[in-house]
Amino acid sequence: MKDLIDISDLRVDEIDELIETTKNIMENKEQYSQAMKGKILATLFYEPSTRTRLSFSSAMMYLGGNVIGFSDASTSSVSKGESLRDTIRIVSSYSDIIALRSPIEGAALAAADVCDIPVINAGDGQHAHPTQTLADLATIKLEAGRLNGLTIGICGDLKYGRTTHSLLAALSRYNGNKFVLISPKELKMPATAINKHLNENNITYIETDDLNESLPELDILYMTRIQQERFDDKAEYEKLKNSYILTADMLKNAKKDMLILHPLPRVNEISVEVDEDDRAMYFKQARYGRLIRMALILKLLGKKNTSETQSPINFTPTDKYICTNPKCVVNSEKGVLGYVIHDPKELLPLCAYCEKPTMKK
Ligand code: NCD
């Protein structure tokens, strides 16, 4: 495996191994302090970030490496009109590994295509966020003791929330998990994700808009922010922004050992009084995020990166179909070839970059 673009680039045993390394790093911090000496991580962030960018930088520094990059594209040549892929070509000759965040869906995959060094997807628009999922999985495994046989409630903005898409993709690969997808009807999990991860694998799930009613059966509650910046219609955001607010009072009906996760930032979907509850994991989760990013950097740049597979997805170049998503990299960057994933369950193939439906030319 050269890059981490999608959580499915990692086999389940590789995810488990990353969590083991995370544990080992926590217990033997000193042993890792020079592991990336002389190596450079480039963090290229075209979208706001606190945790992801700083935890990547801090992860590389705790490994003895160095960090370059930008957190505001207006200070880079992007503001002069440079394309993403030209920027990547240049930065790949100044660094050993790239963490890229972009509002464009499929940006990380398009970037990985044009350089030889590992590219990590640190969030591509509303599509995916695999390293947040690694932090989520480490939290669940190390705090609940298992990643299987769980009833997982994912609540909030399941349409635009990229962390929820990657989390569903990952947890649906562990045995015996059930999902309760809690959202307003306007912000439901995309049908393509439900088909691919749940229906095709006969996994039990329900879709509901009722958090209170769902709470008692959950082992994990994954709360998310309504993604203001992804709405084309601001009035729609105003209507939906307070859809869920988890309070201490509501938690009286939840299991005593239920874990509450949130990728953060929180706006108002979890009341601050919940922070005092032992079940609140979100600040710990951010700490695991830095540790598992250390494990990931070690894997991608270390000798142990022996996996042959890049992705189980079968890409086929095409000029017959076009991607219907205006926010996809295929439609925003010149020269990115249209590739499709042939999914027999879909009427038309999906775009390999953003996993949205395509249409015939
Ligand atoms: C998330 C993101 O950027 O998608 N944040 C993060 O990386 N921890 C979630 C969010 O912004 O709501």
Side-chain angles (χ1 to χ4, degrees):
M1 176 178 122
K2 171 176 136 341
D3 313 292
L4 179 65
I5 305 302
D6 195 274
I7 196 67
S8 62
D9 294 338
L10 289 164
R11 297 187 312 263
V12 164
D13 65 290
E14 291 180 300
I15 294 176
D16 294 342
E17 199 181 297
L18 284 172
I19 297 173
E20 273 311 301
T21 310
T22 299
K23 240 172 95 184
N24 204 282
I25 294 171
M26 282 160 67
E27 286 155 14
N28 305 287
K29 195 175 152 202
E30 275 311 306
Q31 269 180 30
Y32 292 90
S33 66
Q34 298 301 311
M36 285 293 129
K37 193 169 177 341
K39 301 280 186 197
I40 296 178
L41 163 75
T43 57
L44 308 185
F45 277 61
Y46 293 81
E47 256 193 354
S49 168
T50 304
R51 268 149 298 273
T52 308
R53 188 174 61 81
L54 293 181
S55 72
F56 263 117
S57 300
S58 155
M60 191 54 159
M61 289 173 183
Y62 273 107
L63 293 168
N66 291 302
V67 182
I68 58 171
F70 55 78
S71 56
D72 176 1
S74 67
T75 64
S76 76
S77 282
V78 173
S79 63
K80 301 181 190 166
E82 185 167 57
S83 72
L84 168 73
R85 298 200 308 167
D86 282 359
T87 304
I88 295 292
R89 285 187 183 100
I90 303 308
V91 174
S92 68
S93 63
Y94 301 159
S95 58
D96 299 285
I97 184 166
I98 292 174
L100 172 72
R101 169 170 288 191
S102 167
I104 306 290
E105 295 169 53
L109 182 57
D113 268 356
V114 294
C115 72
D116 293 332
I117 67 171
V119 173
I120 301 172
N121 183 3
D124 61 332
Q126 55 186 267
H127 178 226
H129 193 351
T131 65
Q132 179 60 47
T133 297
L134 290 177
D136 305 340
L137 297 178
T139 309
I140 297 171
K141 173 73 186 187
L142 299 176
E143 299 294 331
R146 65 188 200 282
L147 286 165
N148 53 355
L150 295 164
T151 301
I152 302 137
I154 310 183
C155 176
D157 188 344
L158 312 190
K159 179 180 179 187
Y160 297 123
R162 56 193 171 197
T163 65
T164 72
H165 307 154
S166 296
L167 185 70
L168 185 74
L171 282 172
S172 60
R173 289 156 78 199
Y174 287 84
N175 286 335
N177 287 336
K178 290 190 226 157
F179 295 88
V180 184
L181 304 175
I182 309 156
S183 73
K185 63 179 185 321
E186 294 87 346
L187 299 176
K188 280 165 75 170
M189 181 66 74
T192 46
I194 291 191
N195 278 337
K196 184 170 165 197
H197 304 301
L198 303 179
N199 290 340
E200 284 187 23
N201 301 312
N202 290 321
I203 293 173
T204 310
Y205 71 94
I206 57 165
E207 291 183 278
T208 171
D209 60 5
D210 195 333
L211 172 59
N212 262 314
E213 193 186 83
S214 314
L215 264 176
E217 61 176 304
L218 304 180
D219 299 306
I220 307 291
L221 172 60
Y222 192 89
M223 292 296 291
T224 61
R225 172 177 74 87
I226 309 294
Q227 307 279 300
Q228 177 174 14
E229 67 278 27
R230 311 271 179 236
F231 281 75
D232 292 326
D233 177 359
K234 294 300 165 201
E236 175 95 336
Y237 170 73
E238 287 300 321
K239 189 181 99 190
L240 296 171
K241 68 179 184 187
N242 294 324
S243 296
Y244 301 101
I245 300 176
L246 183 70
T247 61
D249 202 45
M250 288 163 74
L251 283 170
K252 289 182 186 139
N253 299 323
K255 288 185 183 171
K256 295 275 165 282
D257 59 353
M258 182 187 79
L259 300 184
I260 308 161
L261 278 75
H262 190 308
L264 303 178
R266 145 177 72 182
V267 182
N268 61 353
E269 54 282 349
I270 302 181
S271 310
V272 287
E273 85 246 11
V274 174
D275 301 356
E276 305 308 317
D277 193 301
D278 287 344
R279 292 168 285 190
M281 285 294 132
Y282 26 94
F283 297 119
K284 237 179 186 175
Q285 187 183 350
R287 285 205 288 279
Y288 285 127
R290 191 259 296 169
L291 294 161
I292 203 158
R293 287 183 174 100
M294 288 173 74
L296 178 66
I297 293 170
L298 284 169
K299 178 177 172 63
L300 292 176
L301 286 183
K303 293 189 192 74
K304 278 175 81 187
N305 185 12
T306 51
S307 173
E308 301 278 304
T309 54
Q310 174 57 27
S311 165
I313 294 168
N314 215 354
F315 289 178
T316 314
T318 183
D319 54 10
K320 291 205 189 76
Y321 297 99
I322 50 173
C323 176
T324 55
N325 175 10
K327 293 177 180 153
C328 177
V329 71
V330 176
N331 294 319
S332 69
E333 174 117 349
K334 283 188 202 122
V336 178
L337 288 176
Y339 279 76
V340 293
I341 306 168
H342 284 288
D343 181 342
K345 294 257 163 55
E346 300 289 335
L347 286 178
L348 285 172
L350 300 179
C351 170
Y353 289 90
C354 67
E355 299 182 78
K356 295 264 163 61
T358 55
M359 64 181 193
K360 275 212 170 104
K361 248 188 184 169

